[in-house]
Amino acid sequence: MIGNEAVARGLYEAGVSVVSSYPGTPSTEITEFVAKYNEVDAEWAANEKVAMEVAIGAAISGARSFCAMKHVGLNVAADPLFTVSYTGVNGGLVIGVADDPGMHSSQNEQDSRNYANAAKVTMLEPADSTECKEYAKLAYEISEQFDTPVLLRLTTRIAHSQSIVEECDRVDVPLKEYQKDVMKYVMMPGMAKKRRLVIEDRKDKLVEYAETSGINRMELNDTKIGIITAGAPYQYAKESFPEASYLKLGMLWPLPTKLIQEFASKVEKLYVLEELDPYIENHIKAMGIEVHGKDTFSMFGEFSNVSVREAISGKKDEATYPDYNPPMRPPVMCPGCPHRGMFYVLSKLKLVVSGDIGCYTLGAAAPLSAMDTTICMGASVSAAHGISKANPELSKKTVAVIGDSTFIHSGMTGLASTAYNKGTSTVIILDNSITGMTGHQQNPTTGKTLKGEPTVAVNLEKFAEAVGYTRIKVVDPFNVEECERVIKEEISVEEPSLIIARRPCVLLKGVKYDFDVNISKDKCKNCKMCMKIGCPAISIVDGKPEINKTLCTNCGLCKNICKFDAITL
Ligand code: SF4
Ligand code: SF4
């Protein structure tokens, strides 16, 4: 199983009954796999904060519950995380968080272990799929024994790599009794001050558990080199230095102080091997122990067995792994992508585009190059409002672009805030009727649940109307003339406006274009306008544009760009 599937299996076997998550690579599959179990009520939430609050509610009511998110999602959910640490749980509460060292598909590199430390929440980190399943189950025992939420941290490599997992039966966990307890669950200052002391007491007990439970284990071999590590780096180190001694950590907060001291006293040269921040290293150094960490290993990106071997041995590993430079594959939107038409128009109009997180972020890539900023989920709408408030000159040529799922995630608040604050910016919702970037998850606009059942769908037009928009236009992003006209109209008015560019993702089941798109060699004037949409199906062959029929989806957008009617359907 891949690590994410193994976590899902662990949740099932642990008797979890409620799961609420927001998709985000590399965490998405946990929720997709767990949704296949009928015993589990699994859902996509509007965002990570909502997901965590649903899971908290379920846990307080007495059920074992779970939510999953990627590292940046934990920023969104940080508010409830810090307080659920104070309230504790009733039924077990586990929060899956998947970090992305190397930023394979993320806007930043972020080390979630710092959240465990800051929020004083127990954190476990598995090093293979077996541990993914076992730690998911163990996390519920710890959660209920110590009355704490537990963070289950994965990284991309563990979440997406495979190892053998043995399946067990599901345990039937009855709902724990719910008892109203205002002192525990209502965090007003008077109660919170008392709970603050409970957290310190809990930490002491957890340290004792970390020292003695066996989740952190010493593997004593040759003691010339001792390595303290966890997660994927443990695998890299074991492969490179099988003869070395290890302190393999499974619990990352709190850390086992006595065990670290004992291990350090047994080895000659001590390394701490950890991706991203010097989280364990700082802890060890604060204990007054000499250790090699970021003086030897990188602060950035993912490690590998080669990089670990080279760093410790100080020698380049050319013999086994010769350098090779695979050709770069620039990120590009799919052939037939409905966002392409809108980005073509935005690029043509040379507008300032306040962008957002989703597959449409690829509109920043050449040749469209139609994106000025991408900060975080939902920031496009609020940043466009900020631009138009601050800079009257830019105000008339700025638009925000945001996908339907991202709009529900955190664009809605920016839209309400813009109208309320008498903003004049133009927001374009790129509504492709699905959450595209993470692999086609449903969201509250699609009319289907995670389990595929029909449900209510948010009406974006009515929502905008309800928060004060009077200028709401719906366009087809492939109708470039219409898009251009409507955008010009909307950016010129002194009112907030919303344009919904609606066309389903070309990869959705049922989206099929029954044309046969061709370029006439005779009519083509070789102006290369069709190249400006950046469709991977069009390339220059023998000096002229040609359509690659194996890539072309026959969407017809290029026909709408050609002024010489050289492209026919
Ligand atoms: S836009 Fe039309 S005329 Fe220009 S290169 Fe493409 S096919 Fe030829
Ligand atoms: S019809 Fe044109 S724009 Fe659409 S996929 Fe084919 S080549 Fe690309």
Side-chain angles (χ1 to χ4, degrees):
M1 286 181 189
I2 63 165
N4 281 346
E5 184 179 4
V7 171
R9 181 72 201 179
L11 300 177
Y12 166 75
E13 290 178 9
V16 168
S17 56
V18 175
V19 172
S20 180
S21 305
Y22 186 78
T25 312
S27 69
T28 311
E29 299 87 356
I30 301 175
T31 309
E32 290 178 329
F33 278 114
V34 86
K36 294 179 198 268
Y37 297 109
N38 291 334
E39 296 85 344
V40 183
D41 193 332
E43 62 183 33
W44 289 129
N47 64 30
E48 296 84 356
K49 181 177 184 296
V50 173
M52 192 180 289
E53 289 158 353
V54 169
I56 291 170
I60 288 175
S61 82
R64 287 190 166 183
S65 66
F66 177 82
C67 59
M69 59 205 65
K70 65 183 294 177
H71 61 292
V72 286
L74 193 54
N75 301 335
V76 179
D79 201 2
L81 175 73
F82 277 67
T83 301
V84 75
S85 175
Y86 276 52
T87 64
V89 298
N90 180 23
L93 170 63
V94 178
I95 299 147
V97 58
D99 286 3
D100 187 16
M103 295 173 276
H104 296 284
S105 58
S106 307
Q107 66 267 40
N108 65 34
E109 224 175 30
Q110 184 181 304
D111 193 329
S112 297
R113 296 176 303 172
N114 297 310
Y115 268 113
N117 189 42
K120 302 177 198 302
V121 170
T122 311
M123 175 178 268
L124 308 186
E125 180 171 1
D128 59 26
S129 296
T130 295
E131 286 191 353
C132 281
K133 193 193 87 159
E134 292 311 319
Y135 283 16
K137 292 162 76 171
L138 179 63
Y140 284 97
E141 287 169 27
I142 295 173
S143 176
E144 289 170 1
Q145 184 183 340
F146 295 95
D147 193 17
T148 179
V150 176
L151 283 158
L152 183 67
R153 180 199 190 223
L154 308 179
T155 55
T156 307
R157 202 55 47 185
I158 298 299
H160 286 164
S161 57
Q162 289 187 313
S163 59
I164 289 173
V165 173
E166 203 177 312
E167 295 186 354
C168 305
D169 292 336
R170 176 175 166 91
V171 290
D172 197 13
V173 185
L175 262 186
K176 287 178 108 179
E177 192 190 341
Y178 168 73
Q179 277 180 342
K180 185 171 169 132
D181 187 345
V182 173
M183 293 305 288
K184 185 169 187 288
Y185 294 124
V186 181
M187 282 305 95
M188 287 164 16
M191 293 79 151
K193 281 176 190 165
K194 293 199 174 69
R195 292 299 299 177
R196 177 73 187 85
L197 305 177
V198 173
I199 288 177
E200 286 312 301
D201 183 48
R202 182 175 77 198
K203 184 190 173 186
D204 293 344
K205 290 182 181 135
L206 281 161
V207 171
E208 188 57 28
Y209 179 90
E211 305 277 12
T212 56
S213 67
I215 188 166
N216 302 310
R217 64 168 192 264
M218 248 191 262
E219 297 171 10
L220 287 176
N221 300 302
D222 185 343
T223 53
K224 277 202 202 73
I225 291 180
I227 302 174
I228 301 178
T229 187
Y234 168 74
Q235 305 290 3
Y236 304 142
K238 284 290 274 188
E239 202 173 319
S240 298
F241 299 98
E243 71 289 352
S245 291
Y246 288 89
L247 174 56
K248 193 264 184 200
L249 299 175
M251 186 182 260
L252 276 296
W253 194 92
L255 287 165
T257 305
K258 283 191 209 137
L259 210 52
I260 290 169
Q261 270 163 344
E262 192 189 336
F263 182 72
S265 71
K266 288 181 193 296
V267 298
E268 285 173 40
K269 193 165 186 184
L270 182 65
Y271 290 96
V272 58
L273 181 65
E274 54 187 334
E275 288 171 331
L276 304 175
D277 294 346
Y279 169 82
I280 306 170
E281 179 183 345
N282 287 346
H283 182 89
I284 296 174
K285 283 185 171 161
M287 291 163 64
I289 296 171
E290 198 183 316
V291 65
H292 294 282
K294 295 301 171 189
D295 59 346
T296 308
F297 309 105
S298 174
M299 284 278 284
F300 315 110
E302 265 195 315
F303 294 168
S304 67
N305 51 0
V306 177
S307 71
V308 169
R309 189 156 53 238
E310 287 185 349
I312 292 183
S313 70
K315 288 187 236 137
K316 187 126 180 69
D317 209 352
E318 280 155 358
T320 4
Y321 295 92
D323 279 348
Y324 79 107
N325 295 307
M328 290 290 287
R329 181 187 171 273
V332 68
M333 285 184 290
C334 308
C337 174
H339 304 322
R340 186 170 278 111
M342 180 53 79
F343 280 120
Y344 167 77
V345 175
L346 296 175
S347 178
K348 185 179 169 201
L349 296 176
K350 296 195 171 39
L351 296 179
V352 175
V353 177
S354 176
D356 223 294
I357 309 279
C359 45
Y360 49 90
T361 314
L362 296 169
L368 293 161
S369 309
M371 191 86 82
D372 288 70
T373 61
T374 306
I375 314 294
C376 65
M377 298 279 281
S380 61
V381 181
S382 346
H385 175 60
I387 290 170
S388 67
K389 280 272 171 173
N391 191 326
E393 203 184 305
L394 285 186
S395 173
K396 284 272 179 282
K397 48 181 181 177
T398 296
V399 296
V401 291
I402 186 164
D404 47 332
S405 178
T406 314
F407 179 75
I408 294 291
H409 178 281
S410 44
M412 297 164 84
T413 42
L415 200 80
S417 190
T418 299
Y420 167 68
N421 288 303
K422 302 180 178 181
T424 56
S425 54
T426 299
V427 174
I428 303 173
I429 299 180
L430 300 167
D431 179 6
N432 65 354
S433 315
I434 202 72
T435 312
M437 184 70 147
T438 41
H440 281 193
Q441 289 74 34
Q442 304 296 336
N443 67 59
T445 69
T446 64
K448 281 205 180 128
T449 67
L450 166 59
K451 297 216 175 199
E453 294 150 1
T455 184
V456 290
V458 173
N459 183 316
L460 295 172
E461 294 90 316
K462 285 193 178 154
F463 173 81
E465 218 179 293
V467 298
Y469 279 64
T470 51
R471 299 190 69 91
I472 302 161
K473 304 276 164 64
V474 180
V475 297
D476 174 359
F478 279 179
N479 188 338
V480 289
E481 274 176 20
E482 183 195 30
C483 288
E484 187 171 336
R485 179 180 50 76
V486 170
I487 291 170
K488 279 181 176 162
E489 258 167 40
E490 295 311 312
I491 56 175
S492 68
V493 296
E494 292 290 332
E495 275 179 70
S497 60
L498 177 70
I499 301 170
I500 301 168
R502 185 167 284 148
R503 187 177 266 261
C505 171
V506 68
L507 300 179
L508 278 175
K509 240 195 230 163
V511 176
K512 203 168 174 305
Y513 299 109
D514 289 326
F515 317 118
D516 181 19
V517 179
N518 289 292
I519 299 180
S520 154
K521 296 261 182 219
D522 298 340
K523 288 191 185 168
C524 176
K525 300 277 187 275
N526 211 6
C527 67
K528 303 214 170 67
M529 280 304 286
C530 53
M531 297 298 295
K532 295 209 165 159
I533 57 174
C535 176
I538 314 178
S539 56
I540 301 293
V541 179
D542 297 332
K544 278 201 157 184
E546 193 169 294
I547 292 177
N548 179 337
K549 291 287 185 178
T550 54
L551 289 175
C552 176
T553 59
N554 293 310
C555 72
L557 172 65
C558 53
K559 182 198 179 300
N560 299 345
I561 308 291
C562 178
K563 291 203 171 68
F564 302 99
D565 289 330
I567 303 181
T568 53
L569 300 181

